[in-house]
Amino acid sequence: MSSSEQTNTPNDDFEPLIQAGHRICSSDRIQDQEEGFRFMVRTSEIASMVGSIDHRVDETLPAFVIRFDGQAHAYLNRCAHVAMELDWQPGQFFTNDKTAIICASHDAQYLPDTGECISGPCPHGSRLIKLKIEEKSGEIFLCQAN
Ligand code: FES
């Protein structure tokens, strides 16, 4: 089994470092409103997309991809309230009714398709930092920064 196949195994704790332009996971790894896929990104690779994050220092940060209404969406795994990871179990990002992303720390909720904060202690108008991805030929790729 190749290393790329190993990263697609459900419940696999390994979080690969994904470079821009490279494959994150296979499309069937993320099912609609189910477990997400966790991975790592370097801020230097996504510099134009990291908003308020100070990327003078090149950091490796956690990220994830989920599927909602058939579309894949990827974000930094970083709450807009406090810079903590969101999932309540590794890869579990959705509320019980599967309509929102919820932060395990203080219950901030975000729209799954835009990352916009909709309730909880995240600042008004804040949102998760969305990563540009592309899904093609049964694979999901992290796009190059513009
Ligand atoms: S850290 Fe996410 S709601 Fe507080």
Side-chain angles (χ1 to χ4, degrees):
M1 181 182 289
S2 73
S3 60
S4 62
E5 287 169 332
Q6 289 170 349
T7 62
N8 285 332
T9 306
N11 303 317
D12 188 345
D13 289 338
F14 178 67
E15 296 167 25
L17 175 62
I18 306 296
Q19 295 178 305
H22 287 241
R23 171 188 184 274
I24 300 171
C25 65
S26 65
S27 293
D28 61 7
R29 173 62 182 80
I30 51 165
Q31 301 298 316
D32 218 56
Q33 295 162 283
E34 297 295 339
E35 182 183 354
F37 183 78
R38 292 164 53 103
F39 60 99
M40 305 295 287
V41 292
R42 293 196 68 92
T43 53
S44 59
E45 298 256 326
I46 56 166
S48 68
M49 296 180 273
V50 292
S52 61
I53 291 179
D54 183 349
H55 47 266
R56 285 174 295 181
V57 178
D58 187 17
E59 287 183 279
T60 300
L61 296 177
F64 65 97
V65 58
I66 53 161
R67 189 177 300 284
F68 184 74
D69 275 349
Q71 294 291 314
H73 303 277
Y75 299 97
L76 288 186
N77 193 357
R78 185 173 177 126
C79 186
H81 176 222
V82 177
M84 297 178 69
E85 296 189 18
L86 297 152
D87 36 347
W88 45 273
Q89 290 281 325
Q92 301 296 331
F93 295 95
F94 283 105
T95 52
N96 283 338
D97 66 4
K98 312 275 190 182
T99 60
I101 293 170
I102 188 166
C103 177
S105 295
H106 314 108
D107 298 340
Q109 293 189 26
Y110 301 90
L111 291 177
D113 53 350
T114 64
E116 180 187 346
C117 170
I118 52 172
S119 72
C122 38
H124 180 71
S126 64
R127 56 184 62 224
L128 300 176
I129 295 171
K130 193 162 193 174
L131 304 180
K132 195 172 174 195
I133 58 173
E134 182 180 15
E135 187 165 17
K136 61 182 180 186
S137 305
E139 311 276 4
I140 299 170
F141 295 87
L142 181 65
C143 293
Q144 299 277 359
N146 294 321

